[in-house]
């Protein structure tokens, strides 16, 4: 760990005017605040902010940034406050510490909730003062250097992947290549250790075998340039493992096929010397066509300036050379930190020629995030992704929504707002109508189609990916169930009271709330609707003087209805909702006599009166409920039905059957072959009909076909 005087000496070494007293005061304050806190490595926690400050001294940053690094964890991890920091160190330092603290909190929240707003806030906070980002980059670099002390492999991998996806690209975007390359290498070490070790071993072998050759090439380049009258410095460098690995992956080539494992830099005094150096080198050695790039006349967006050329150089070796001035070299290594002008105000930094494009990029990025742009512009411009398991989608107005991979338009709707999700009936993805179960992709524009009459479907829960959507669907279904159970309970209570010749009003029903331990009238009616209470119990509680009635047997229920003390529930269509549902294996139709079976906590299941499945409820007569159809003949509806058909195995048989069903105005929803031999085949046909008579006519017509041997309606 850096000692106090060592840190101060580093800062004074590049900035003699630095506020030594402020740095000393911050050092002592942070050490006291962190006290006995320890890191995973077993070192005192205070060592971390000091090492972060040390990294920033390598970038030659101003006093305020160094002090911010020392204090950057005090608000988050100690009892320090913004007011106290402002009083002791000034508003500038306090605001910088607050910016770094917010980014740290965004990281923690992102890990838990992975919401898009965190990415937006991250970049917006960065744009306010780039020094906040530089401190965060140094913080991440030291954390990556000590990553191996974290015991959890999953956490190490998550941090490494996040570093590769966010922090390394951001460091590169700001031109800080040294930090970018080290972050990539440390992340590479965690994410793919075997590949890195293999590559390092090969590189070391290659370097051992070629070191003398490289030295001779550098000396030859230096000699020819000096003969041409240029004062310069030439050095060779071995590229980092991850940079080589990425190039091998991108080009799908082996290490031996790479021509630029080693590169040479030529450092000269001024811009004119850069072009003179190119002339001297190309005069002595032939250049490789298509390998000349002039980043001096057209700098990169991060301020990088150099001339790149590749030649067939000394000893007939392919040589890659970068030519730059001393100032350009400093910018190439340290990026925006190389020409730090915050001490003269941010406007000075923006006027800097080297960094004009960098600030322009930041402004464009923030404008896109604030006002929306095309997904392609966003992804191309930032080259960033919050997490590799997320997708970025947009509303038609350009609002950025981030979801986990595998998310659907339902997840998107609930991410916009709970009311949008609850009222979702359809969607358009990139302008096309698509199913709600569609999987969203990066850059999709999603438009949610809404209806106030809509409510969440229980089936949605099977394909949503976010916890927010799942919990909202469950909550809405619970509320809808409660309302439906209440309506059903009111019907049941009304039928029971009318059958007993007693008046039923809300005021009268209030008498049963206390004795039956209900919270209110809604709770009472819902309990009757879901079968927890019976209408008879409510009647006997309100009118205890009534003589108890014997519950009728199933035989009388079948023959005469449920009895004069039972309720009558009327069904008005197939969409009966959550409180009343049709028996799936019996599929009752209008025109058939039906009966309801109450299951406590679940509501009513409706069966045809002759369904074999009713036999299992013979011993539970209190669960039987009289149910009747009440269909408006002026507004016909369709209902599901199923037929099992045995047909002759001959050409055209299936066509005859399906054509007849269509001729009778019925739609086939599903058809499957269940058994087949050389003479006959059995098939199961699901179709939609208006009522029992409609189905009977279709069955009679099918039996009249010569290709049909048998038609039955299965019952369970």
């Amino acid at each position: 760990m850096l000692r106090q005087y060592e840190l101060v000496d580093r800062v004074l070494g590049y900035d003699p005017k630095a506020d030594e007293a402020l740095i000393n005061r911050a050092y002592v304050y942070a050490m006291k605040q962190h006290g006995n806190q320890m890191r995973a490595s077993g070192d005192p926690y205070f060592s971390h902010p000091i090492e972060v400050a040390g990294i920033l001294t390598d970038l030659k940053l101003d006093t305020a940034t160094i002090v911010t690094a020392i204090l950057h964890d005090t608000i988050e991890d100690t009892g320090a406050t913004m007011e106290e920091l402002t009083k002791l160190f000034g508003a500038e330092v306090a605001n910088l510490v607050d910016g770094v603290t917010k980014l740290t909190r965004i990281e923690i929240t992102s890990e838990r909730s992975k919401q898009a707003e965190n990415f937006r806030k991250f970049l917006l906070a960065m744009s306010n003062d780039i020094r906040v980002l530089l401190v965060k980059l140094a913080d991440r670099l030291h954390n990556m250097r000590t990553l191996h002390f974290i015991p959890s492999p999953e956490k190490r991998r998550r941090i490494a992947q996040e570093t590769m996806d966010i922090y390394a690209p951001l460091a590169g975007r700001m031109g800080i290549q040294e930090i970018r390359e080290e972050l990539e290498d440390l992340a590479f070490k965690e994410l793919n250790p075997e590949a890195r070790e293999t590559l390092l071993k090969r590189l070391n072998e290659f370097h051992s075998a070629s070191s003398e050759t490289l030295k001779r090439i550098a000396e030859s380049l230096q000699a020819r340039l000096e003969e041409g009258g240029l004062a310069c410095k030439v050095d060779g460098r071995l590229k980092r493992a991850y940079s080589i690995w990425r190039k091998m992956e991108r080009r799908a080539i082996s290490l031996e096929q790479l021509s630029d494992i080693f590169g040479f830099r030529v450092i000269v005094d001024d811009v004119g010397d850069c072009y003179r150096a190119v002339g001297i080198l190309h005069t002595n050695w032939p250049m490789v066509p298509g390998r000349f790039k002039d980043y001096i006349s057209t700098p990169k967006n991060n301020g990088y300036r150099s001339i790149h050329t590749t030649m067939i150089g000394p000893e007939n070796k392919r040589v890659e050379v970068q030519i730059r001035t001393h100032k350009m070299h400093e910018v190439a290594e340290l990026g925006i930190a190389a020409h730090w002008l915050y001490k003269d105000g941010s406007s000075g930094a923006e006027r800097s020629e080297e960094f004009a494009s960098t600030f322009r990029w930041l402004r464009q990025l923030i404008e896109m995030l604030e006002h929306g742009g095309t997904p392609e512009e966003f992804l191309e411009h930032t080259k960033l992704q919050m997490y590799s398991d997320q997708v970025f989608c947009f509303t038609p107005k350009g609002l950025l929504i981030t979801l986990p991979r595998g998310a659907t338009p339902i997840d998107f709707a609930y991410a916009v707002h709970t009311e949008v999700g609850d009222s979702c009936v359809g969607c358009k993805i990139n302008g096309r109508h698509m199913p709600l179960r569609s999987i969203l992709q990066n850059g999709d524009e999603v438009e949610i189609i809404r209806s106030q009459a809509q409510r969440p479907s229980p089936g949605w829960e099977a394909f949503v990916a976010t916890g927010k959507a799942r919990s909202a669907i469950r909550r809405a279904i619970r509320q809808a169930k409660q309302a439906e159970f209440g309506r059903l309970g009111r019907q049941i209570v009304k039928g029971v009271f009318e059958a007993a010749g007693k008046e039923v009003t809300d005021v009268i029903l209030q008498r049963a709330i206390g004795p039956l331990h209900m919270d209110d009238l809604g709770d009472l009616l819902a309990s009757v609707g879901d079968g927890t209470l019976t209408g008879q119990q409510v009647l006997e509680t309100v009118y205890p003087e009534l003589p108890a009635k014997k519950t009728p047997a199933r035989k009388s229920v079948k023959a005469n209805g449920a009895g004069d003390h039972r309720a009558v529930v009327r069904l008005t269509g197939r969409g009966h909702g959550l409180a009343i549902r049709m028996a799936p294996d019996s599929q009752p139709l209008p025109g058939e006599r039906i009966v309801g079976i109450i299951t406590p906590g679940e509501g009513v299941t409706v069966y045809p009166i002759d369904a074999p499945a009713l036999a299992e409820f013979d011993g539970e007569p209190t669960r039987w409920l009289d149910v009747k159809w009440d269909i408006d003949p002026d507004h016909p509806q369709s209902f599901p039905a199923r037929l099992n058909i045995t047909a002759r195995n001959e050409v055209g048989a299936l066509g005859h059957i399906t054509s007849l069903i269509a001729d009778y105005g019925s739609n086939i929803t599903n058809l499957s072959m269940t058994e087949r031999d050389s003479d006959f085949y059995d098939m199961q046909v699901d179709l939609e009909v208006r009522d029992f008579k409609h189905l009977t006519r279709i069955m009679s017509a099918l039996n009249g076909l010569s290709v049909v041997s048998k038609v039955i309606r299965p019952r369970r």
Side-chain angles (χ1 to χ4, degrees):
M1 182 179 75
L2 281 175
R3 297 181 183 275
Q4 185 173 348
Y5 72 88
E6 292 174 329
L7 179 62
V8 173
D9 287 347
R10 283 196 186 189
V11 178
L12 293 176
Y14 63 82
D15 183 9
K17 297 180 181 180
D19 190 340
E20 182 178 350
L22 186 67
I23 297 174
N24 286 328
R25 194 159 67 249
Y27 192 104
V28 174
Y29 177 83
M31 184 167 59
K32 289 181 178 178
Q33 287 292 323
H34 287 292
N36 296 324
Q37 293 176 353
M38 304 294 287
R39 286 174 58 81
S41 62
D43 295 330
Y45 190 89
F46 177 62
S47 64
H48 168 66
I50 296 306
E51 292 298 329
V52 172
I55 291 170
L56 294 176
T57 61
D58 294 335
L59 300 180
K60 301 180 181 179
L61 290 174
D62 62 333
T63 303
T65 310
I66 301 301
V67 172
T68 298
I70 297 171
L71 302 172
H72 79 270
D73 277 335
T74 54
I75 293 180
E76 183 71 24
D77 296 330
T78 76
T81 64
M82 273 289 291
E83 293 76 12
E84 189 175 13
L85 292 184
T86 303
K87 181 179 178 181
L88 293 174
F89 305 102
E92 181 184 20
V93 169
N95 288 331
L96 288 172
V97 173
D98 184 50
V100 178
T101 302
K102 287 178 179 176
L103 292 191
T104 302
R105 289 173 180 167
I106 286 169
E107 278 187 318
I108 295 171
T109 305
S110 301
E111 180 184 348
R112 294 172 182 168
S113 64
K114 300 183 180 178
Q115 292 300 307
E117 278 305 300
N118 295 326
F119 189 37
R120 182 191 299 268
K121 290 174 185 175
F122 181 98
L123 292 169
L124 290 175
M126 178 193 77
S127 71
N128 292 333
D129 194 323
I130 298 176
R131 289 177 294 181
V132 170
L133 173 63
L134 295 175
V135 175
K136 196 63 195 171
L137 286 175
D139 174 52
R140 178 50 64 107
L141 179 56
H142 185 251
N143 284 333
M144 287 300 296
R145 287 174 177 174
T146 57
L147 183 67
H148 57 283
F149 289 112
I150 295 177
S152 169
E154 293 78 11
K155 186 174 182 180
R156 290 199 307 270
R157 187 170 185 84
R158 177 190 63 76
I159 293 172
Q161 190 64 57
E162 186 181 72
T163 299
M164 193 73 84
D165 290 342
I166 297 175
Y167 291 99
L170 275 176
R173 197 61 188 80
M174 306 311 296
I176 313 173
Q177 295 304 323
E178 281 295 314
I179 288 183
R180 175 185 180 168
E181 290 179 355
E182 186 174 357
L183 286 173
E184 287 177 337
D185 192 54
L186 291 168
F188 186 40
K189 183 178 181 180
E190 178 63 35
L191 296 173
N192 201 339
E194 292 182 1
R196 181 177 179 274
E197 287 301 316
T198 301
L199 194 55
L200 284 176
K201 183 179 179 181
R202 297 282 303 281
L203 288 174
N204 290 334
E205 293 172 354
F206 190 85
H207 183 262
S208 298
S210 308
S211 58
E212 289 300 318
T213 302
L214 295 171
K215 183 179 179 181
R216 290 196 301 272
I217 291 174
E219 291 173 349
S220 296
L221 296 175
Q222 179 101 28
R224 293 297 174 90
L225 289 168
E226 289 179 350
E227 288 171 7
L230 282 181
C232 63
K233 176 185 177 183
V234 179
D235 60 45
R237 64 187 179 89
L238 174 65
K239 293 189 176 181
R240 287 187 179 262
Y242 180 71
S243 175
I244 296 173
W245 171 263
R246 182 172 53 193
K247 193 165 291 188
M248 290 168 58
E249 289 282 289
R250 186 171 67 247
R251 298 181 185 176
I253 57 178
S254 66
L255 181 64
E256 290 76 14
Q257 293 174 289
L258 278 178
S259 61
D260 51 359
I261 295 175
F262 292 93
F264 296 86
R265 291 194 184 116
V266 176
I267 312 296
V268 296
D269 291 332
D270 57 43
V271 173
D273 287 344
C274 292
Y275 291 99
R276 283 192 288 275
V278 173
I280 294 171
L281 294 176
H282 285 185
T283 300
N284 285 276
W285 296 285
M287 67 167 288
V288 176
R291 299 286 296 174
F292 179 84
K293 296 176 182 178
D294 185 354
Y295 293 119
I296 293 179
S297 61
T298 54
K300 290 185 177 182
N301 286 335
N302 59 12
Y304 175 86
R305 302 174 76 203
S306 284
I307 292 175
H308 293 190
T309 186
T310 303
M311 312 170 300
I312 305 300
E315 304 187 22
N316 207 33
K317 299 290 186 181
R318 189 178 173 112
V319 177
E320 182 188 79
V321 182
Q322 298 173 350
I323 306 167
R324 59 181 67 148
T325 67
H326 292 282
K327 186 174 182 179
M328 291 175 191
H329 180 63
E330 194 173 39
V331 172
E333 296 300 300
L334 305 180
I336 200 167
H339 193 226
W340 198 249
L341 298 174
Y342 268 101
K343 57 181 177 287
D344 300 322
S346 62
S347 60
E350 292 206 30
R351 286 195 299 268
S352 171
E353 179 184 351
E354 287 83 1
F355 304 109
S357 58
T358 298
F359 283 99
R360 190 182 310 115
W361 169 75
L362 281 171
R363 286 194 298 270
Q364 291 171 349
L365 176 58
I366 301 310
E367 183 178 351
M368 267 194 291
L369 288 171
E370 289 178 339
H371 304 295
T374 66
E376 292 77 15
E377 287 175 337
F378 175 77
L379 295 172
E380 176 65 25
H381 224 55
T382 63
K383 302 295 185 183
L384 296 172
Q385 205 169 334
M386 191 59 162
Y387 288 87
S388 60
D389 60 349
Q390 286 189 320
V391 291
F392 292 92
C393 299
F394 295 81
T395 68
K397 294 184 178 180
L399 177 66
L400 174 66
I401 302 293
T402 301
L403 298 162
R405 290 199 179 275
T408 65
I410 296 295
D411 295 292
F412 182 93
Y414 278 108
V416 174
H417 197 281
T418 301
E419 291 182 2
V420 176
D422 286 346
S423 58
C424 174
V425 293
C427 71
K428 290 183 180 180
I429 301 177
N430 301 321
R432 296 179 58 192
H433 284 281
M434 298 293 286
L436 289 175
R437 61 174 60 247
S438 302
I439 302 299
L440 297 177
Q441 304 297 324
N442 258 328
D444 281 345
E445 179 185 286
V446 184
E447 178 183 351
I448 300 299
I449 302 169
R450 303 173 61 190
S451 170
Q452 294 306 315
Q454 171 68 347
R455 67 184 177 201
S457 166
W460 289 358
E461 195 176 341
F463 56 79
V464 294
T466 59
K468 180 178 181 181
R470 187 170 289 108
S471 63
I473 292 167
R474 289 173 179 173
R475 181 174 60 253
I477 290 173
R478 283 196 303 269
Q479 293 172 349
K481 272 187 176 182
Q482 190 74 1
E484 285 196 21
F485 284 141
R487 289 191 292 271
L488 176 59
R490 186 174 290 278
Q491 290 186 59
I492 294 173
V493 168
K494 181 181 178 182
V496 170
F497 274 61
E498 288 179 351
K502 292 295 183 180
E503 182 182 7
V504 55
T505 65
D506 287 355
V507 174
I508 291 173
L509 292 176
Q510 295 278 354
R511 303 176 195 170
I513 293 175
L516 293 176
H517 308 291
M518 296 290 118
D519 293 332
D520 51 35
L521 182 58
D523 189 25
L524 175 72
L525 295 175
S527 296
V528 175
D530 70 11
T532 305
L533 286 177
T534 66
Q536 188 66 25
Q537 286 177 289
V538 176
L539 175 66
E540 293 172 355
T541 301
V542 174
Y543 296 106
E545 74 281 0
L546 285 177
K549 290 195 175 182
K550 184 179 178 182
T551 302
R554 175 184 179 236
K555 183 177 180 180
S556 65
V557 174
K558 284 191 67 176
N560 306 310
D564 61 358
H565 73 297
R566 303 295 293 173
V568 174
V569 175
R570 298 183 179 277
L571 301 184
T572 58
R574 64 181 292 184
H576 308 294
L578 302 168
I580 304 176
R581 58 190 178 279
M582 298 298 178
D585 296 326
S586 298
Q587 298 177 319
L589 297 171
E592 291 185 289
R593 290 188 59 204
I594 51 180
V595 67
I597 299 296
I598 300 176
T599 300
E602 297 181 10
V604 176
T605 304
V606 178
Y607 294 85
I609 200 70
D610 59 349
L614 289 173
E616 65 179 279
F617 306 111
D618 277 349
E620 303 175 274
T622 58
R623 294 180 60 184
W624 291 65
L625 184 70
D626 191 18
V627 184
K628 294 185 178 180
W629 291 103
D630 189 12
I631 304 298
D632 185 354
D634 295 329
H635 297 86
Q637 303 178 48
S638 60
F639 296 83
R642 174 170 292 173
L643 296 177
N644 287 345
I645 302 173
T646 301
R648 296 180 185 276
N649 190 2
E650 60 183 58
V651 175
L654 183 59
H656 288 303
I657 293 170
T658 56
S659 295
L660 184 145
I661 292 173
D663 290 342
Y664 273 78
S666 177
N667 181 46
I668 296 175
T669 58
N670 191 35
L671 188 151
S672 60
M673 300 293 179
T674 57
E675 193 171 338
R676 184 168 187 159
D677 57 34
S678 59
D679 297 320
F680 294 92
Y681 59 82
D682 295 332
M683 60 181 171
Q684 181 175 280
V685 181
D686 293 333
L687 61 161
E688 293 182 334
V689 297
R690 293 185 295 276
D691 51 31
F692 182 65
K693 289 183 179 179
H694 187 196
L695 179 64
T696 301
R697 289 197 299 271
I698 293 173
M699 292 177 67
S700 297
L702 287 171
N703 275 315
L705 289 175
S706 61
V707 295
V708 173
S709 173
K710 181 174 62 175
V711 179
I712 61 171
R713 182 186 179 195
R715 285 292 179 85
R716 294 183 184 177

